[in-house]
Amino acid sequence: MVLPVYVPSANEIYPVCGVSIGIAQAGIRKAGRDDLTVFQLAAGSVVAGVFTPNRFRAAPVQVCQQHLSVRSDVRALVVNTGNANAGTGADGLQAARETCAATAKLLDVDTEQILPFSTGVILEPLPVERLIAALPQAIAAARSDAWHAAAFSIMTTDTQPKISSRKLVLDGQTITLTGITKGAGMIRPNMATMLSFLATDAALPAALLGQLARESADQSFNRITVDGDMSTNDSYVLIATGQSGLTIDSEQHPSWAAFKQAVFEMSLALAQNMLRDGEGATKFITITVEQAASRTEALKVAYTVAHSPLVKTAFFASDPNLGRILAAIGYADMDDNRPALDISQVQLWLGGVHVVSQGQRHPDYQEEDGQRVMQASEIEMRIALGRGEVSETVYTTDLSHDYVSINADYRS
Amino acid sequence: MVLPVYVPSANEIYPVCGVSIGIAQAGIRKAGRDDLTVFQLAAGSVVAGVFTPNRFRAAPVQVCQQHLSVRSDVRALVVNTGNANAGTGADGLQAARETCAATAKLLDVDTEQILPFSTGVILEPLPVERLIAALPQAIAAARSDAWHAAAFSIMTTDTQPKISSRKLVLDGQTITLTGITKGAGMIRPNMATMLSFLATDAALPAALLGQLARESADQSFNRITVDGDMSTNDSYVLIATGQSGLTIDSEQHPSWAAFKQAVFEMSLALAQNMLRDGEGATKFITITVEQAASRTEALKVAYTVAHSPLVKTAFFASDPNLGRILAAIGYADMDDNRPALDISQVQLWLGGVHVVSQGQRHPDYQEEDGQRVMQASEIEMRIALGRGEVSETVYTTDLSHDYVSINADYRS
């Protein structure tokens, strides 16, 4: 069983003026597989990014952060699959820098105007000479309508491409937003194992674009979790080419709210589609923790439940063994500076079914009602802590046989 | 593939003078299955315990803690499988208290001298009337050589009984130590989903026995993890009947060190055998984190690696995709009050193979060497952080298809 990922048809994917994409086969991943993607950005484009906090963050992530700290007028993104260039030390950094230098030379821009991205196996040297040899071909292949092909070329264990695209009219002008993402496992808060590129032809100053990247990541990519693993390579990049004529220069701009809302919705859609394509996922589970005393404790409880292998396998089996959820709530690392959780205040709903009240089985709860909800492929769980007024929502999947198969066989 | 659990033969399991065990079928779990075990302890016995810190700790755990806070001269332990009596609120507490009261009446002792234990499904009412109805039979069946049968009767998803037994001569006297444990999943620091009962015929004062329970749990049951889930029912109980004539009255006693060592070794053996029988386990993995700045950070790194589903599936597949270990080290929630981890100081060994030095692949590392180590069923991993002098070791398993099957099908 595979959860549905909405993949827009070709005529629903709108090119973004100022972005052209070229794809090549560099032989990094395997022969005959597109594995090198170059996004060229028109002069005047502004770029902002959010990156993994993993201490073993990959060389390209370090180089992206360094380049973006110097300037935001990026002219190209270079993305390879098949190798993460992580755990590769000084040699890996050198390889990422050489990638940028070679691209900059071909495009006649500065090295700091190039951002490198890698995804794939960790701890293996990046075959940078093969990557560089394929750059001219990827650059020459550039076209504005290659978003769909790019969504394919950046995939690793993904089974489906993830694309979101829309047009909206703001301030009397039509602007376009198109984004792609990859990632299907090692997904957890503080970014998934993911690369995500979302471009618009609106113009935004770098600081505002950076704020939007952080805020939109926080309500999308930072709210999904498959297995609790955090990648070395997660990167989420917003691109504003400014080719549409609309400039949103501050939060006071009349179109800011609508634009921000569109970016929020698209990043959430991309994040949720990553989860739907999560390794071996057969269920899409929305977990809302309500009545928490703080955002931190709401998220800790939600993620503890979302990461529990026992909860996840119960969902896979559609087995309403719901005490496992209470056990997970019971060991969540909640805020130690507040009074202890009063378990007699805890409530749990699955779909519309009231499973737990006063910390125990609700008197009207019938196991067949729980089972019915769990058999669906889309499940909503609501946990009320009875401690405050804060709510947070995270999204996760079940844990299936296929998760084990995919991750046991990834490299073979 | 099943990992070897050493089960001693009948003549290697020594009865402990002062402990007699009776088993019955109460029909709590399923018809025709031993599910009620009563340990009767001779007058003068002293008992101490360590229990789960889970906030949703089960009713019997709460009752055990309450009874032991009042007195340590326990006269019986009553253990049922098939139902955890957790998430059962006031009714559950009442059921656990009725169990104790009924047992106390049959044995003509005080209710506080009875300790109840339950393991099984959470959130279901305990059928206490069936339990109480079977008590006379379990009490009447008491015999001193029933440890092996008891190890079977307390099993849930366990495939093999776990028993450790030995005699030692201390101070010219022969004393006996015999223990059993159950638990195969939901195993993580701060107690596994486990019940463990370890008895000796030495005499110890309650305070010293309590200290020994805490210290021995900390280096055994609190060092094993299968899936990161923490149970509502974990209980580890030490029983000292005092029937051997040897009294160890303080840490200054000449036999204390040897006695403590024996308890440590036996609790570690019981804990490791739980892990070997871990749900779906095909590999036994020892993870040592060295050169840490503190015990806390050593354990956090070790457990983060041990809990990573990506690391665990790689071990299942014998795939030396060892970058996943670096990724897990990179996101471990280390001590925030110290300088950040310098990843260029990190080293990793698998068995005798030096995989990572200076935070990257060791120049001599060959993938076939890593693969060879991973194909074994017993694997030692050593991580050096280059930050200090503290070492800690934890034990875990891989994540296999059978883990998913067992936990998806547990109740069916």
Side-chain angles (χ1 to χ4, degrees), chain B residues 34-106:
Chain B
D34 290 341
D35 55 10
L36 180 65
T37 309
V38 176
F39 294 76
Q40 293 180 56
L41 311 183
S45 296
V46 170
V47 168
V50 181
F51 301 91
T52 180
N54 194 304
R55 292 178 210 93
F56 271 99
R57 62 189 187 282
V61 170
Q62 295 176 55
V63 171
C64 276
Q65 290 176 314
Q66 190 188 330
H67 287 187
L68 285 172
S69 72
V70 179
R71 53 202 292 181
S72 57
D73 58 338
V74 171
R75 295 299 302 280
L77 318 180
V78 180
V79 189
N80 74 272
T81 60
N83 185 301
N85 194 9
T88 47
D91 292 345
L93 271 175
Q94 179 64 18
R97 291 203 179 101
E98 283 174 19
T99 301
C100 294
T103 310
K105 192 168 177 199
L106 289 165

Side-chain angles (χ1 to χ4, degrees), chain A residues 55 229 331-332 367 405 411, chain B residues 55 229 331-332 367 401 411:
Chain A
R55 290 177 212 95
D229 271 298
Y331 69 75
E367 187 154 320
S405 298
R411 302 202 317 170
Chain B
R55 292 178 210 93
D229 272 299
Y331 69 75
E367 187 155 319
H401 285 293
R411 302 202 316 171

Side-chain angles (χ1 to χ4, degrees), chain A residues 83-94:
Chain A
N83 185 301
N85 193 10
T88 47
D91 292 346
L93 271 175
Q94 179 65 17

Side-chain angles (χ1 to χ4, degrees), chain A residues 85-257:
Chain A
N85 193 10
T88 47
D91 292 346
L93 271 175
Q94 179 65 17
R97 291 202 178 104
E98 283 173 19
T99 300
C100 294
T103 310
K105 193 168 174 196
L106 289 165
L107 297 177
D108 195 21
V109 299
D110 291 339
T111 299
E112 291 75 20
Q113 290 180 289
I114 312 298
L115 300 182
F117 302 85
S118 297
T119 178
V121 177
I122 306 172
L123 211 61
E124 303 276 347
L126 178 71
V128 66
E129 65 297 335
R130 271 182 266 164
L131 192 163
I132 289 174
L135 277 174
Q137 189 196 336
I139 287 170
R143 36 191 295 178
S144 62
D145 62 352
W147 284 94
H148 190 263
F152 270 100
S153 70
I154 64 173
M155 283 165 53
T156 51
T157 58
D158 309 61
T159 68
Q160 299 177 83
K162 290 107 195 171
I163 311 172
S164 182
S165 186
R166 63 163 77 171
K167 286 185 176 295
L168 59 165
V169 178
L170 296 177
D171 221 14
Q173 309 220 36
T174 299
I175 67 149
T176 302
L177 284 148
T178 297
I180 59 174
T181 192
K182 64 83 39 182
M186 220 196 229
I187 285 174
R188 88 157 207 171
N190 292 316
M191 314 293 286
T193 293
M194 55 157 273
L195 300 177
S196 187
F197 307 102
L198 178 53
T200 179
D201 51 8
L204 284 89
L208 192 60
L209 196 66
Q211 176 192 327
L212 185 58
R214 286 188 300 276
E215 290 182 5
S216 58
D218 198 44
Q219 58 86 51
S220 58
F221 303 111
N222 286 345
R223 288 291 177 278
I224 60 174
T225 180
V226 170
D227 50 22
D229 271 298
M230 180 198 288
S231 152
T232 50
N233 290 61
D234 304 325
S235 305
Y236 165 49
V237 166
L238 286 186
I239 300 161
T241 66
Q243 303 282 306
S244 69
L246 174 69
T247 298
I248 299 175
D249 52 2
S250 77
E251 294 186 69
Q252 281 68 51
H253 190 282
S255 296
W256 168 250

Side-chain angles (χ1 to χ4, degrees), chain A residues 53-57 62 86-92 121-125 185-186 188 193 227-232 279 304 307-311 313-314 316-317 319-334 336 340-341 343 346 348 355-356 358-361 365 367 399-412, chain B residues 53-57 62 86-92 121-125 185-186 188 193 227-232 279 304 307-311 313-314 316-317 319-334 336 340-341 343 346 348 355-356 358-361 365 367 399-412:
Chain A
N54 194 305
R55 290 177 212 95
F56 270 101
R57 63 190 187 283
Q62 297 177 54
T88 47
D91 292 346
V121 177
I122 306 172
L123 211 61
E124 303 276 347
M186 220 196 229
R188 88 157 207 171
T193 293
D227 50 22
D229 271 298
M230 180 198 288
S231 152
T232 50
E279 290 167 346
T304 303
H307 289 152
S308 161
L310 289 172
V311 171
T313 47
F316 171 56
D319 176 1
N321 195 339
L322 301 173
R324 292 176 176 182
I325 298 170
L326 294 192
I329 297 168
Y331 69 75
D333 179 22
M334 289 169 67
D336 291 330
L341 176 69
I343 63 165
V346 172
L348 171 67
V355 179
V356 171
Q358 300 185 315
Q360 60 188 301
R361 195 176 171 135
Y365 173 67
E367 187 154 320
L399 174 59
S400 71
H401 284 294
D402 284 352
Y403 176 86
V404 176
S405 298
I406 291 165
N407 282 298
D409 305 338
Y410 172 44
R411 302 202 317 170
S412 52
Chain B
N54 194 304
R55 292 178 210 93
F56 271 99
R57 62 189 187 282
Q62 295 176 55
T88 47
D91 292 345
V121 178
I122 305 172
L123 211 61
E124 303 276 346
M186 217 196 231
R188 87 156 208 173
T193 294
D227 50 22
D229 272 299
M230 179 197 289
S231 154
T232 51
E279 290 166 347
T304 303
H307 289 152
S308 162
L310 288 173
V311 171
T313 47
F316 171 56
D319 176 1
N321 195 340
L322 301 172
R324 293 175 175 181
I325 298 171
L326 294 192
I329 297 168
Y331 69 75
D333 179 21
M334 289 169 67
D336 291 332
L341 176 69
I343 63 165
V346 171
L348 170 68
V355 178
V356 171
Q358 300 186 313
Q360 59 189 306
R361 195 177 171 132
Y365 173 68
E367 187 155 319
L399 174 60
S400 71
H401 285 293
D402 285 352
Y403 176 86
V404 176
S405 298
I406 292 165
N407 283 296
D409 305 337
Y410 172 43
R411 302 202 316 171
S412 53

